[in-house]
Amino acid sequence: MGDGGTVEGRASGQGRVFQTTGEQYIEEHHHHYAPGTAPLLGGGPVRPAVTAADSVRVPLVGRPPGILRNREELRRTLSAAIAGPGGEVHVVHGMGGLGKTAVAYWLFTQAVREHGRAGLWVNASDRVSLRAGMLAVAGDRGATTGELAAAASGQRAAADLVWHYLDHSSEPWLLVLDNADDPAILEEGGWLRTSPLGTVLVTTRIANSPLWRASGVSRHTLGLLPLQDAAQVLCDLAPDAGTPEAARKVAERLGRLPLALTLAGSHLAHQLLESWTMDEYERKLTEESTAIVDQGAAGRGSGQSRQLVSRTWQLSLDALREQGLPEATSLLRLLSCWAADPVPLTMLMPAARGEVDLTGIEPALSADRLEPALRGLLDHSLIELVQLSGARCVSAHGVLLDSVAGGVPAGPQRAALGLAAARLLSAALPDPDDTSEQARAALAVLAPHAVALLRVASGEVSEEIGRVSGLVVRRMYEAGDWSGSLALAERVAERTGQLLGAEHPVALDTRFVLGQALHRMGRYAEAEALHRQVLAARERVLGPDHPDTLRSCLGLRYPLEQLDGRREEAEQLNRRAIEGQRRVLGEDSAETLYSRACLLEVLPQIGKAEEFDAEARALVEDCERFLPPDHLTTLMARHLHGYGLLLLGRHEEAEPLAQRTLADRRRVQGPEHPFALSALALNARVLRGLGRTDEALPLLEQLIEIRDRTLGPEHPAVVELREWLTEWQR
């Protein structure tokens, strides 16, 4: 309920969720476990060699690169940039696996150690990671918790907040935007800017973008390593595996791509049962063709055609199979069904406990073999352990996952993997009633995997995969992440419509949530149009009294109430939902009671005072009888009863309801929850209506202080509150 009385949160700005398709730097990274070490999936201590820190002050590169070969001219240019006053943007671009992130890490280290700059590192591969990282940058530079919360929820322009604090930083800085493979993400949010206090480094696979042609932006192309430097990378990693001449042969065979060289050198240096020389490794590579295809480097960063020398990782999987771990191949294929973002180990726990059926996956991946398969992939540097939002995760390079996914046999094998991945994602979702900050953080981690999962949907498993992806969207919305759910819903709705048809119930479910998110973000006309389409489709497909059709009636009622001259139509739709839900779901259903509570918002605005009185009394009694004491629908019923009395000018009757509502909202939802602040506004307005302005003013001033701190002084709600203050003080 806003300060003006509308029972809907409002926000400006929006975030979007895209799957991660950008590159990450994979460095040599091995794990050795002592006897008795707790299993990865068992919840005990784990001793990986390195875990990535969950901090903008730490480069997210796994283990830092040891020696950076070649790139001397580029390093001289970038060194001069961080030695100067700032105000520049440098874009390093090239295809996947060239080591752009390694260059960024080197510059980051130089800026911090040699030039005393604050180093700030943000993963810019998708909207969720970019937004979260940039808000963390604002926090690092001095933004308050309230300001960050307002920006994260879409109530304040996030990019403006971040750059305000960067422009007023107490020390010079270097900001790295790593893996910016979709420049539209930077452009749409206004994230890429210049500041006299710092230097920005962007790494990307995209060579041409209007952003790169802006004033103050310099572009630098990163190419393949010269043969001698490429060979030296192999010698650095596996000095005892062969001669420099043999290393040159392997480097040439691997296309001088740093990522492939890193994987090969890691494999050569840490074989367990065999000890190949570089000559033997080169002969293995000749057994099948090796070609590098990178169509995305010349086009959009979201291209799925990034394939590197597949034999490089296949040799490691062959070695694992010979060690008795054929399941490692199946596990890597399962991981390739999700995004290249970190995968929480909790997503794999149901499989390890035998709660999710893995039948049909070949080689067979049984529950008791999941742990050894994980360890095998870690030992061969095909995956690494990282920390994300306090959770242990596994991560693999996007190029590697794309290559693995491309090698999965079509038909039953791909269907079995997709179905298992969908069920594991579903099992990882927080409880539907959990709207805590921890739940929202967990959902943000899972969101990219919901989008990526749709890539493997085909045939008979498409409906199940679409349902699970849509479920992630709904949970994000219900948890209060409206901007995140809006962006995710757009992607999932589009793909499920392509897979199942625009009027399939699963596709309609996601479009319905999309309409809800549009309304929450204040895009009322768009929300009305979409809800009207979904309602018509549900009437055709499901019938007029299906619960989903009735939900669409209520969904359409919300934006109509915000549009001039549409409140009577909103009332009719609200009543249709109530009448249908009484027949289909019952008088005591929480959905029926919720729809009745929504009606209380409309009746006073269309002059139906007597009906409002009767409905409000009956509704509050029914909520108290059928629902738990602190159910949010009960709180809303009391809240709207008090608000309606305020609109009708019956301030003495409204006062006790307003006081109780404020106490309940604060106790149940927290003192700075938007609904608690709406209750505070209700109390202030009731006191003002009673002529007790001296009592109302402190409440209004308290509300302004919180709103100003959380939304910013230019937010429309804050401007309106200050107008009230001026009027009341007269």
Side-chain angles (χ1 to χ4, degrees), residues 213-534:
R213 296 192 292 271
S215 175
V217 178
S218 300
R219 288 187 293 171
H220 311 280
T221 303
L222 205 63
L224 297 170
L225 288 174
L227 182 57
Q228 187 59 39
D229 290 294
Q232 190 58 51
V233 169
L234 291 171
C235 293
D236 290 339
L237 294 171
D240 300 324
T243 65
E245 178 59 31
R248 282 193 290 272
K249 291 181 181 179
V250 174
E252 188 65 48
R253 175 67 66 178
L254 295 176
R256 297 177 284 125
L257 184 69
L259 173 62
L261 296 167
T262 300
L263 290 174
S266 172
H267 178 84
L268 287 167
H270 296 276
Q271 298 170 80
L272 299 177
L273 299 182
E274 293 185 272
S275 183
W276 292 346
T277 66
M278 288 191 189
D279 286 328
E280 291 170 323
Y281 193 86
E282 196 271 338
R283 283 196 295 273
K284 288 281 186 179
L285 288 174
T286 61
E287 293 176 4
E288 67 178 61
S289 63
T290 59
I292 299 174
V293 180
D294 198 76
Q295 298 172 2
R300 289 186 56 80
S302 58
Q304 295 302 317
S305 59
R306 295 181 304 152
Q307 304 289 328
L308 68 92
V309 191
S310 61
R311 283 295 291 170
T312 304
W313 57 262
Q314 188 59 53
L315 291 175
S316 295
L317 291 176
D318 290 345
L320 285 168
R321 185 181 65 252
E322 292 169 5
Q323 296 168 30
L325 285 173
E327 304 88 356
T329 296
S330 296
L331 179 56
L332 198 56
R333 287 175 172 176
L334 179 63
L335 293 174
S336 75
C337 294
W338 296 315
D341 294 56
V343 175
L345 285 173
T346 52
M347 283 181 66
L348 299 174
M349 280 299 298
R353 293 193 295 258
E355 298 168 356
V356 170
D357 187 9
L358 301 178
T359 302
I361 297 176
E362 295 294 338
L365 184 60
S366 59
D368 62 330
R369 298 298 292 167
L370 191 60
E371 175 85 20
L374 268 175
R375 292 192 183 278
L377 294 176
L378 284 166
D379 284 339
H380 282 255
S381 298
L382 293 170
I383 62 174
E384 62 178 343
L385 277 177
V386 298
Q387 293 283 335
L388 183 65
S389 299
R392 290 189 304 169
C393 304
V394 291
S395 179
H397 195 290
V399 175
L400 172 62
L401 292 177
D402 283 349
S403 182
V404 171
V408 175
Q413 178 66 198
R414 186 169 297 175
L417 285 165
L419 195 58
R423 291 172 176 171
L424 289 170
L425 177 58
S426 178
L429 291 173
D431 188 274
D433 297 326
D434 186 358
T435 58
S436 66
E437 183 179 345
Q438 292 80 3
R440 288 192 293 274
L443 287 165
V445 172
L446 299 177
H449 302 301
V451 177
L453 184 59
L454 291 166
R455 295 178 311 177
V456 300
S458 61
E460 61 186 19
V461 301
S462 294
E463 182 173 340
E464 177 69 10
I465 289 176
R467 185 193 66 79
V468 171
S469 295
L471 184 59
V472 178
V473 175
R474 177 170 293 283
R475 292 289 173 80
M476 287 187 70
Y477 173 80
E478 292 172 346
D481 185 357
W482 298 328
S483 62
S485 63
L486 172 62
L488 185 61
E490 289 174 330
R491 295 292 303 281
V492 174
E494 178 184 8
R495 181 60 179 146
T496 52
Q498 294 170 349
L499 288 168
L500 304 172
E503 295 194 353
H504 189 283
V506 170
L508 289 173
D509 284 345
T510 306
R511 292 175 66 198
F512 175 75
V513 179
L514 175 58
Q516 290 181 299
L518 285 168
H519 170 252
R520 290 285 191 176
M521 298 299 290
R523 295 161 60 178
Y524 302 125
E526 295 174 72
E528 181 210 354
L530 182 56
H531 274 304
R532 203 174 287 281
Q533 293 171 9
V534 173

Side-chain angles (χ1 to χ4, degrees), residues 58 95-96 112 239 243 267 425 427 442 553 555 617 656 697 708:
V58 178
M95 73 178 188
V112 173
T243 65
H267 178 84
L425 177 58
C553 291
R617 285 192 298 269
L697 279 171
D708 185 88

